[in-house]
Amino acid sequence: MQTDSSFTFVLFGGTGDLAMRKILPALFEAHRAGGMLADSGKIVAVARHVADRAGYLEWVNEHVKPHVSKNGLDETAWASFLDRIDFVKIDLGKAEDFVLLRDAVSGLPGIRVFYLATGPSLFVPICRALASVGLNENSRIVLEKPLGYDLKSSNAINDAVGEIFAEEQIYRIDHYLGKEPVQNLLALRFGNVLFEPLWRREWVESIQITIAEELGVEARGDFYDNTGALRDMVQNHLLQLLSIVAMEPPHSMDSDSVRDEKLRVLRALKPIDPRDIGKVAVRGQYHAGVIRGNAVPAYATEPGVKPDSTTETFVALKVEIENWRWAGVPFFLRTGKRLADRVAEIVVNFRAVPHSALGASALRGGANRLVIRLQPNETIRLYCLAKQPGEGMNLASVHLDLAFDRFFREGQMEAYQRLLLDVINGRLALFVRRDEQEAAWRWVEPILNEWAASNKPPKPYASGTWGPAAASAMLAQHDTCWLEEEN
């Protein structure tokens, strides 16, 4: 993925955690690879916590280096990367300070990319300030999640940003869409005749999508207690992954073809009747427990969290898609904090054979399954039954590894690196369009409203487990279980 496109990458929130852990390391990896970033490309960081460029580079050396030096740091490449970086000290609350930014970038070549690695409350003021100094032309704007608190607030942000930037200038980022296995899922489905005929209700029994974290809310208690897992993870990451899994083959891989098909899935989600939420939605909150031998506190005692908080840290949902391909197939979505392991995966359970002369094991649903692991290690495995060596016809589950690293010399590209290059090169396919976002909020809102109106607290679960027992019971009603429970 080489480019000769000149660019000026303006990073708001330049001293923040996201910039240090993800954005600048991703840009460095693209720089180190050679040819991915135009030599003339510049990075302009914006913040108010350091005084000048020298102070900012010291900050970068201290906070970014640990995230790029795990496999050894090429000091020559690092030094040349720092040469790309400039710095402008701005108080984002003062629109007049943006004249300093205009002066700093006015002589720089190429497309301007404004990355808003800030809280969503600053999105509109920043966009208006950029427009006030004429920086909204020949530019692209990248918006991090969460984009709003509900459909109304999301629309308010989108309306205000849309008055300043055209839709084709707006890149709403969801880093899960940039992960290599998600890209390979598209390749498997639409590049091979093998999987597509099976990718439908006649052959698929159920699909699970899990994003589990071992960590708690860490230092984000104030933010998280006003957000919760449904807003933080389901409305964006999980529904986006679901739409990728369930979408129809697009006409092409251009931005609108892909996003049109994802939108059709989101609009086909069966609305959840508030009276049925107790049957198809489980919310939980972690209590004290032990993870990998270390005692961890309850959510309600975390810094910034209200002691009587009813915010959910765990959500499990049964979702149905009302269309010809997927009618009757349950999609089980799950996310949570302080769970037993850090894992993100998509599990496609295929139906059992209709008749077996080889014994009962071949009649078990899920004997054939595709497991797409997104983190911590990125792999795709196809499980099937094979005969065990020895006397008799005894079957055992085996798997075929789609080991891409054995076939391709180049390493897998990290999600943020891919997405940032897509922004610079004007590729929108892996970014969320406004109508997608609205459809996701519209489906999620009845759950939010019912939970807000309910006096029932979230179900407790001990840290270091896989969440409330009710999440397992929900799958048991469909004669299935979460993948780790079967293993």
Side-chain angles (χ1 to χ4, degrees):
M1 189 186 296
Q2 295 189 340
T3 182
D4 57 1
S5 302
S6 295
F7 67 92
T8 300
F9 189 96
V10 180
L11 178 56
F12 289 92
T15 56
D17 186 60
L18 181 63
M20 298 298 104
R21 290 188 303 107
K22 295 294 184 182
I23 300 172
L24 288 176
L27 289 170
F28 170 70
E29 292 300 333
H31 168 85
R32 178 165 61 177
M36 289 187 175
L37 297 180
D39 292 339
S40 58
K42 298 289 289 183
I43 300 166
V44 180
V46 175
R48 61 187 179 93
H49 295 301
V50 293
D52 52 24
R53 180 176 183 270
Y56 184 71
L57 294 185
E58 287 182 13
W59 183 279
V60 169
N61 271 310
E62 179 181 353
H63 293 91
V64 178
K65 262 190 174 182
H67 300 290
V68 299
S69 58
K70 296 174 183 177
N71 298 318
L73 180 64
D74 182 338
E75 291 291 350
T76 301
W78 180 251
S80 61
F81 176 68
L82 295 183
D83 287 342
R84 287 185 185 268
I85 299 177
D86 206 345
F87 173 78
V88 180
K89 183 175 182 178
I90 287 180
D91 184 339
L92 298 181
K94 298 180 179 179
E96 61 270 20
D97 279 11
F98 281 71
V99 174
L100 301 173
L101 178 61
R102 182 194 62 192
D103 294 344
V105 303
S106 59
L108 299 177
I111 191 76
R112 296 186 185 117
V113 174
F114 298 108
Y115 198 114
L116 274 55
T118 68
S121 63
L122 292 172
F123 290 174
V124 173
I126 289 173
C127 289
R128 287 174 175 163
L130 289 171
S132 72
V133 294
L135 289 179
N136 56 321
E137 302 295 332
N138 188 35
S139 62
R140 297 167 186 149
I141 188 93
V142 185
L143 305 178
E144 268 285 349
K145 76 164 187 78
L147 201 68
Y149 183 79
D150 52 18
L151 179 60
K152 181 179 179 181
S153 59
S154 176
N155 281 340
I157 293 174
N158 278 316
D159 286 344
V161 174
E163 292 175 359
I164 299 163
F165 295 93
E167 179 65 26
E168 60 269 21
Q169 293 177 277
I170 303 172
Y171 291 69
R172 301 173 188 86
I173 195 167
D174 186 327
H175 71 276
Y176 274 87
L177 299 184
K179 289 181 176 290
E180 196 73 42
V182 175
Q183 305 302 297
N184 274 312
L185 172 59
L186 294 172
L188 284 172
R189 282 195 61 193
F190 306 135
N192 300 282
V193 72
L194 176 64
F195 288 103
E196 182 57 25
L198 305 178
W199 214 263
R200 60 188 62 251
R201 62 186 302 273
E202 291 86 355
W203 304 108
V204 175
E205 183 179 72
S206 66
I207 293 178
Q208 301 173 16
I209 306 177
T210 294
I211 302 177
E213 300 176 88
E214 285 186 339
L215 294 176
V217 294
E218 304 306 298
R220 300 167 69 231
D222 287 330
F223 161 78
Y224 197 90
D225 207 37
N226 291 305
T227 304
L230 191 64
R231 290 184 177 92
D232 190 42
M233 298 297 291
V234 176
Q235 184 273 333
N236 39 73
H237 296 327
L238 282 168
L239 289 186
Q240 281 294 314
L241 290 177
L242 180 147
S243 66
I244 288 285
V245 170
M247 64 188 277
E248 294 295 319
H251 167 68
S252 69
M253 293 308 293
D254 69 61
S255 59
D256 281 330
S257 292
V258 172
R259 298 191 295 181
D260 284 348
E261 298 304 335
K262 287 164 56 189
L263 177 63
R264 289 189 178 97
V265 173
L266 293 170
R267 286 179 171 171
L269 293 177
K270 181 179 179 180
I272 292 182
D273 189 321
R275 295 169 295 183
D276 294 332
I277 284 177
K279 301 176 184 177
V280 299
V282 177
R283 64 171 177 156
Q285 186 185 100
Y286 66 79
H287 285 203
V290 177
I291 296 181
R292 301 193 186 278
N294 298 313
V296 294
Y299 173 76
T301 64
E302 296 274 21
V305 174
K306 297 184 291 293
D308 59 348
S309 173
T310 59
T311 297
E312 77 283 353
T313 62
F314 175 95
V315 174
L317 300 168
K318 177 202 166 192
V319 179
E320 296 181 65
I321 300 174
E322 296 185 312
N323 64 16
W324 195 274
R325 182 185 289 263
W326 294 113
V329 176
F331 287 72
F332 298 106
L333 312 184
R334 176 178 59 165
T335 186
K337 292 188 174 295
R338 293 287 193 214
L339 298 182
D341 200 2
R342 174 179 175 264
V343 62
E345 65 188 7
I346 300 164
V347 180
V348 181
N349 290 311
F350 293 98
R351 295 190 184 278
V353 296
H355 169 75
S356 175
L358 302 176
S361 59
L363 294 171
R364 189 186 71 235
N368 298 143
R369 63 164 52 101
L370 188 68
V371 178
I372 303 141
R373 178 68 64 90
L374 307 178
Q375 66 182 30
N377 53 321
E378 299 181 339
T379 61
I380 298 181
R381 285 183 172 181
L382 178 63
Y383 287 79
C384 56
L385 294 176
K387 179 188 175 298
Q388 290 182 332
E391 187 179 1
M393 184 59 71
N394 298 312
L395 303 182
S397 178
V398 298
H399 62 263
L400 306 175
D401 266 315
L402 302 182
F404 301 102
D405 57 345
R406 297 180 186 175
F407 292 94
F408 305 107
R409 286 188 174 183
E410 56 270 25
Q412 293 187 7
M413 187 179 292
E414 198 271 337
Y416 268 96
Q417 182 180 344
R418 171 181 287 105
L419 294 174
L420 294 182
L421 289 172
D422 278 0
V423 177
I424 291 169
N425 291 294
R427 294 185 284 260
L428 276 159
L430 298 180
F431 295 84
V432 181
R433 204 166 59 191
R434 175 174 180 170
D435 49 9
E436 290 181 76
Q437 193 172 69
E438 289 181 358
W441 272 121
R442 194 170 288 112
W443 184 82
V444 161
E445 272 209 329
I447 308 173
L448 288 170
N449 294 338
E450 181 64 19
W451 284 352
S454 171
N455 292 322
K456 296 180 181 179
K459 297 182 183 298
Y461 64 95
S463 295
T465 67
W466 282 103
S472 297
M474 183 172 66
L475 270 69
Q477 294 174 4
H478 297 271
D479 197 26
T480 188
C481 63
W482 298 106
L483 181 61
E484 77 281 347
E485 293 173 334
E486 181 171 309
N487 293 338

